[in-house]
Amino acid sequence: MALYTAFISIIKLKKGPIIRYTVTYPYIVILVAGLLLLPNNVSFAQASLEVRPTQLQIELVTYAARNHTTPFWLRANQWGIVPLHSPLVTGNVHYSLDYKKKHVVENDSIKIRQNFFSWGIGVNPVFNLGRTNQIVLPEAYLKLKLGSFELYSGRWKQLMGIGDSTLTSGFAIMSGNAIPIPKVQLGTRGYIPIKFLKSILAFNVGYSHGWFLNTYVQNSYLHQKYAYLRIGKPSATVKMYFGINHQVQWGGHADYLNESQLAVNGKLPSSFNDYINIVLAKRPKEFKTATYTDFDGSYRIGNHVGGDDVGLEITKKNSRLFAYYQHPFEDVSGLSFQNLPDGLYGLSWQRLPTRSPAAFSVHRVVAEFLTTLDQSGAEFIQPGSPFQGKDNYFNHGQFKQGWSYQGRTLGTPLIAPYTELQSGVPISDYFTDNRVQLYYIGAEGKAANKINWMTRLAYSRHYGTYSYRFEKTLSQFSVLLSAESSLFKSDKTHFRAAIALDQGQFLPKTIGVTFAMKYRLLN
């Protein structure tokens, strides 16, 4: 009985601080059968206990705002589930089964071991009712574990880059602002240490193929890959991170391309040879063929975006400091750093441990600066240079809605589509403003040793594009303040309230509130 009590105590321990680099959540098209076939979670074998972590959570949220416009920080980086228009009532159900874990007693201590092979599933339907009625499915996945590697399939939440994933203003390339793109991915389970180098080096890699479903270019695809390197053991005081990610939107057909010189009969190249050129980011051998135009021959097939990232982490006994830089690129000039100093600069401070008996405490602070003004220069042709300028971030000639999915920016939400902007802002491309400077600070902590509070403040300046510059710089201020607390001793029921404000010349002027009740049935 004492052994059973010890095992149960271990199972109930809460997770530690969220890791702040590429965040990879689970995978694939899952059916309701997963909910009905709830497995037996616990089985005993001598001095071991095997468990499959299970979560079932239900949340009810209401939104209300002036002018029926949901404020920026209530909808940005929310995986596309919060509409632009309110009032709104949202029902959110999250169910997941994670990989099996085995708790084993060795030398009077309990150790947790992962099975070499295991599987997990998850589903997260969201129901919106109000000025916008819709069912959104940000997660529906199956994942398979084989040692240190995973195969994901479906739709799941995944950021791309090195940074503080909890309080960021939005990662530069893949921010979690749009609903996840369904895909299949093979990759490592986080950072894998290289043993013969005494774990001083570790790598994290992934390779994906995805589908842009229900979008304006039919049957278009996503190619995605990333590779990251960590220098320093997990327990080291100082660790460094380096990495690169590369995404390509390619293939498909659209009616608006039928009469265009940008495609052949409205179709974009999608053969296997085209795919190889996309993966290698190479120009095709022929300048023009029967399946693609000189647009593809002059540049590269597909809409390429990516980022080079670096990070430095310093961990002390009571705090963690993390500095990072995400550098965007869309062509060779960006890949060759001709667009410096463009990118997202961040500094994150976290108190360790996060629990504090003080009446008011700060547990985490994140400060970020984003600039996208350079874009490798104002002119497309750079005299005396082999590189091209005027990078025109997130826009693309063939894909008229550029680096977006179902109307939402895939990258930083500060580069917003014209559909989200204040009336009167000049409209040119889908991203009518991609020359931005942002000053941002986010913080979170506790009050009265019970209430979890969080705030976000952002001041940004918007200049338009190099092709269509705004006559005057547009400024914008957006702020959020939220508080959350458990209602009972069981800690299963939580209540959250938040207020957000948008003021300026870029986004619609609005103020809004949200109230949420969350209940965990299984955890």
Side-chain angles (χ1 to χ4, degrees), residues 160-300:
M160 198 64 62
I162 295 173
D164 189 313
S165 62
T166 59
L167 276 179
T168 180
S169 63
F171 281 10
I173 299 301
M174 295 290 287
S175 65
N177 185 62
I179 187 170
I181 300 170
K183 58 186 179 180
V184 176
Q185 174 173 297
L186 178 64
T188 54
R189 299 185 61 243
Y191 282 86
I192 307 302
I194 302 175
K195 298 295 185 181
F196 72 88
L197 295 176
K198 299 182 179 181
S199 299
I200 293 176
L201 291 182
F203 64 93
N204 180 14
V205 298
Y207 189 96
S208 306
H209 176 76
W211 295 263
F212 280 83
L213 299 180
N214 303 321
T215 188
Y216 63 99
V217 177
Q218 300 175 48
N219 300 320
S220 57
Y221 306 113
L222 170 71
H223 165 70
Q224 187 177 67
K225 56 183 176 288
Y226 60 87
Y228 291 92
L229 180 69
R230 185 187 69 207
I231 302 176
K233 296 181 178 181
S235 59
T237 300
V238 178
K239 294 185 284 291
M240 296 187 68
Y241 301 91
F242 302 90
I244 186 171
N245 61 79
H246 177 220
Q247 287 77 216
V248 188
Q249 183 180 15
W250 66 286
H253 60 90
D255 291 341
Y256 71 86
L257 290 171
N258 283 338
E259 305 301 325
S260 171
Q261 300 300 314
L262 302 175
V264 177
N265 298 323
K267 296 181 180 179
L268 298 172
S270 57
S271 70
F272 180 74
N273 287 334
D274 298 325
Y275 178 69
I276 297 300
N277 288 331
I278 285 165
V279 172
L280 300 177
K282 291 176 56 179
R283 285 193 179 96
K285 292 182 179 180
E286 302 293 333
F287 183 69
K288 184 178 180 181
T289 69
T291 60
Y292 62 80
T293 69
D294 55 2
F295 184 91
D296 298 293
S298 299
Y299 305 105
R300 282 165 179 79

Side-chain angles (χ1 to χ4, degrees), residues 392 395 415-419 421 425-435 463-466 468-470 506:
N392 201 14
N395 286 313
I415 299 179
Y418 73 86
T419 54
L421 307 186
V425 174
I427 297 174
S428 52
D429 294 317
Y430 190 70
F431 295 103
T432 193
D433 168 67
N434 56 24
R435 300 186 64 240
Y463 298 82
T465 67
Y466 271 128
Y468 302 95
R469 306 186 193 204
F470 295 158
F506 190 66

Side-chain angles (χ1 to χ4, degrees), residues 83-100:
L84 177 62
H85 302 293
S86 57
L88 183 74
V89 176
T90 295
N92 191 328
V93 180
H94 183 271
Y95 171 77
S96 66
L97 297 176
D98 210 341
Y99 299 132
K100 284 185 177 180

Side-chain angles (χ1 to χ4, degrees), residues 343-394:
L344 178 70
Y345 301 77
L347 184 64
S348 168
W349 172 86
Q350 182 184 1
R351 184 192 301 275
L352 300 175
T354 57
R355 292 186 176 183
S356 174
F360 181 85
S361 58
V362 179
H363 295 165
R364 187 191 299 262
V365 178
V366 173
E368 290 184 336
F369 171 68
L370 171 72
T371 180
T372 61
L373 298 186
D374 188 273
Q375 302 192 18
S376 303
E379 300 299 329
F380 182 70
I381 302 299
Q382 304 285 321
S385 172
F387 303 109
Q388 297 170 338
K390 215 173 188 178
D391 291 341
N392 201 14
Y393 297 150
F394 294 1

Side-chain angles (χ1 to χ4, degrees), residues 26 75-83 92 123-128 134-141 154-159 173-183 210-216 222 224 249 401 403-411 413 417 420 430:
R75 55 185 170 82
N77 302 324
Q78 297 298 314
W79 305 104
I81 67 174
V82 182
N92 191 328
V123 64
N124 178 206
V126 177
F127 307 91
N128 289 328
Q134 60 183 176
I135 299 176
V136 188
L137 197 63
E139 286 192 309
Y141 60 82
R155 177 177 275 166
W156 72 100
K157 298 173 181 177
Q158 182 182 28
L159 303 181
I173 299 301
M174 295 290 287
S175 65
N177 185 62
I179 187 170
I181 300 170
K183 58 186 179 180
W211 295 263
F212 280 83
L213 299 180
N214 303 321
T215 188
Y216 63 99
L222 170 71
Q224 187 177 67
Q249 183 180 15
Q401 293 185 14
W403 189 233
S404 70
Y405 184 48
Q406 295 192 9
R408 297 290 182 94
T409 310
L410 285 164
E420 298 179 7
Y430 190 70

Side-chain angles (χ1 to χ4, degrees), residues 94-112:
H94 183 271
Y95 171 77
S96 66
L97 297 176
D98 210 341
Y99 299 132
K100 284 185 177 180
K101 297 180 180 180
K102 188 176 291 185
H103 300 267
V104 182
V105 176
E106 292 184 2
N107 301 323
D108 296 326
S109 64
I110 298 176
K111 295 184 178 181
I112 301 176

